[in-house]
Amino acid sequence: MLRHRVLSGIRPGIWNRHLSVLAKSLKYTQHGEPQDVLQLVEDKLSDPKDNQVLVKILAAPINPADINTIQGKYPVKPKFPAVGGNECVAEVICVGDNVKGLEAGQHVIPLASGLGTWTTHAIYKEDQLLAVSKKVGLAEAATSTVNPTTAYRMLRDFVQLSSGDTVIQNGANSAVGQAVHQLCRAWGLNSVGIVRDRPDIAELKQMLQCMGATEILTEAEIRTSDIFKSGKLKKPRLAFNCVGGKSATEVSRHLDNGGVMVTYGGMSREPVTVATGPLIFKDIAFRGFWMTRWSKENYSSAERSKMFKNIFDLMEQGKFVAPNHEMVPLDKFQDAAAAALNFKGFTGKKYIFDMSI
Ligand SMILES: NC(=O)c1ccc[n+]([C@@H]2O[C@H](COP(=O)([O-])OP(=O)(O)OC[C@H]3O[C@@H](n4cnc5c(N)ncnc54)[C@H](OP(=O)(O)O)[C@@H]3O)[C@@H](O)[C@H]2O)c1
């Protein structure tokens, strides 16, 4: 027997007498630019069986990796036809007979990657989902599994940091960057961020400093800044790079002896180049990090549960907010994908599909 609750806000017309539901999904059957290959299609979902869970997706963001996956430029290769998107927050509508830990009405996020989340409804397996408190905001929950976790792991797993230590990063206005600032504030670390110069740089600096950044400098300003030489801040022992090219080289120059730079993205598409002097004389190290790998290797670990608890506790306390974002309806996917592809210059904000109504 199915345990279910009909949710307010779901149009009666989309239910049939067996509780099946029409899902509207952004699907693609070949790689290409998202605006060209994504199509909004309808599928009838059958009732969840055994360990399956039928969910209504409430919100799902567009991340750079989602775009790269559709383009065929990401290591994760979906089977076609594929539904776009990798993270979301959803509400459980009903569960199969063997589901023990979830019930209708709960909010959940995906624990597994590559489930396809740009859809109004989906059937997932119980062990692919994690229940999340409804006190966590929809935008926060929807964007919790990729970027905050990446920031969390990079801050924890490479260098043993103590209160008062400094972390430096480029792409400091990215969603990961915003998560780094907020975790640094929560953990008593100094967070120095490098961003590209832009007409509204003062507003951007103010926004990131409100999130917890200690200093935000442009690429030109960091070259001449004396914040480390003057002793105002301790030299960084840890650096994060999501840009590559000259930006990565410049950031790595500021590392203290024995410091580590972790590369987790390559937004400029330029290779990471290393300055020879700091490499030799300061013995700095260069590492890479991929959250998808870490999550697979630690799928059911106590450390993963602890990480989610810490992040959701901060979100509930209002100490960790979603990245600067705009909610967009699913049928505006062409505009949202083009904007996320950064055609207009600077990234500015994250786009989140809103399927909550
Ligand atoms: N390894 C992992 O596990 C992992 C996890 C999460 C994210 N990532 C990667 O991290 C990166 C950031 O992801 P996100 O979701 O945080 O991104 P996001 O919020 O969309 O922000 C993108 C960032 O990249 C910068 N950027 C874009 N194009 C650039 C260019 N040509 N040169 C220099 N900077 C550029 C943007 O700066 P502007 O404002 O100046 O455009 C912005 O800071 C992506 O590459 C993503 O794939 C990796």
Side-chain angles (χ1 to χ4, degrees):
M1 196 187 85
L2 294 171
R3 286 171 274 146
H4 66 86
R5 169 170 91 83
V6 176
L7 299 168
S8 59
I10 293 199
R11 285 175 288 117
I14 64 174
W15 297 93
N16 74 12
R17 62 200 151 91
H18 301 296
L19 201 77
S20 65
V21 64
L22 266 189
K24 279 188 186 175
S25 314
L26 285 178
K27 283 191 172 178
Y28 58 110
T29 53
Q30 59 178 320
H31 291 302
E33 293 306 320
Q35 316 89 288
D36 300 332
V37 297
L38 284 177
Q39 287 185 316
L40 196 55
V41 295
E42 286 188 344
D43 292 297
K44 198 166 123 184
L45 299 184
S46 49
D47 298 339
K49 299 192 173 47
D50 303 329
N51 62 347
Q52 292 179 330
V53 180
L54 172 65
V55 298
K56 171 177 165 50
I57 312 277
L58 303 172
I62 305 177
N63 286 315
D66 302 329
I67 304 272
N68 296 152
T69 303
I70 295 167
Q71 291 168 327
K73 295 176 182 166
Y74 203 67
V76 174
K77 305 287 181 209
K79 281 189 194 141
F80 295 135
V83 178
N86 185 49
E87 61 176 347
C88 70
V89 60
E91 180 160 358
V92 175
I93 295 178
C94 60
V95 301
D97 285 342
N98 295 337
V99 171
K100 302 284 180 260
L102 293 174
E103 60 183 27
Q106 276 184 310
H107 282 187
V108 289
I109 56 166
L111 275 176
S113 61
L115 293 183
T117 56
W118 295 348
T119 178
T120 57
H121 300 81
I123 290 181
Y124 300 134
K125 292 180 186 157
E126 181 180 18
D127 65 2
Q128 294 175 324
L129 300 170
L130 176 71
V132 55
S133 162
K134 287 186 175 174
K135 289 182 193 156
V136 176
L138 287 189
E140 279 74 19
T143 55
S144 62
T145 53
V146 173
N147 295 320
T149 53
T150 299
Y152 186 105
R153 295 268 51 104
M154 293 196 302
L155 284 166
R156 285 275 163 108
D157 293 350
F158 293 89
V159 170
Q160 189 77 38
L161 297 169
S162 310
S163 183
D165 280 344
T166 304
V167 175
I168 188 169
Q169 59 169 332
N170 59 22
N173 59 325
S174 66
V176 175
Q178 293 176 52
V180 167
H181 301 311
Q182 297 183 82
L183 290 177
C184 281
R185 177 169 58 188
W187 295 342
L189 302 168
N190 295 311
S191 181
V192 174
I194 314 303
V195 294
R196 296 196 285 183
D197 201 2
R198 66 200 68 216
D200 62 346
I201 187 70
E203 286 95 323
L204 180 65
K205 285 185 178 189
Q206 193 182 19
M207 183 196 90
L208 297 174
Q209 279 164 346
C210 285
M211 283 187 153
T214 318
E215 290 275 352
I216 295 293
L217 301 164
T218 64
E219 289 171 332
E221 287 168 341
I222 186 65
R223 275 182 222 123
T224 54
S225 170
D226 68 348
I227 48 169
F228 304 125
K229 276 190 192 139
S230 67
K232 182 179 172 194
L233 294 178
K234 280 165 95 173
K235 280 190 181 172
R237 300 176 55 224
L238 184 59
F240 302 140
N241 164 43
C242 72
V243 176
K246 282 183 189 156
S247 171
T249 316
E250 191 54 45
V251 168
S252 71
R253 283 185 203 282
H254 297 279
L255 278 170
D256 201 357
N257 289 323
V260 177
M261 171 178 267
V262 183
T263 291
Y264 67 97
M267 293 302 294
S268 72
R269 300 193 181 278
E270 289 166 15
V272 177
T273 42
V274 179
T276 309
L279 187 64
I280 298 172
F281 302 119
K282 296 205 274 183
D283 188 18
I284 58 176
F286 290 79
R287 300 281 306 274
F289 179 73
W290 190 28
M291 193 64 218
T292 305
R293 177 195 296 277
W294 189 93
S295 298
K296 274 189 189 147
E297 289 171 359
N298 295 273
Y299 195 83
S300 306
S301 68
E303 181 57 32
R304 197 174 187 212
S305 304
K306 184 176 140 193
M307 171 179 71
F308 278 121
K309 182 178 181 328
N310 286 346
I311 291 171
F312 289 132
D313 282 353
L314 288 172
M315 287 176 170
E316 278 192 41
Q317 293 160 16
K319 293 178 181 167
F320 195 119
V321 296
N324 189 28
H325 63 276
E326 181 179 331
M327 305 296 282
V328 288
L330 200 59
D331 58 8
K332 292 278 183 286
F333 66 93
Q334 286 186 318
D335 293 344
L341 274 165
N342 202 8
F343 286 145
K344 291 178 191 157
F346 299 110
T347 302
K349 57 191 156 190
K350 184 131 318 254
Y351 293 87
I352 303 177
F353 289 123
D354 181 0
M355 281 90 74
S356 61
I357 44 169

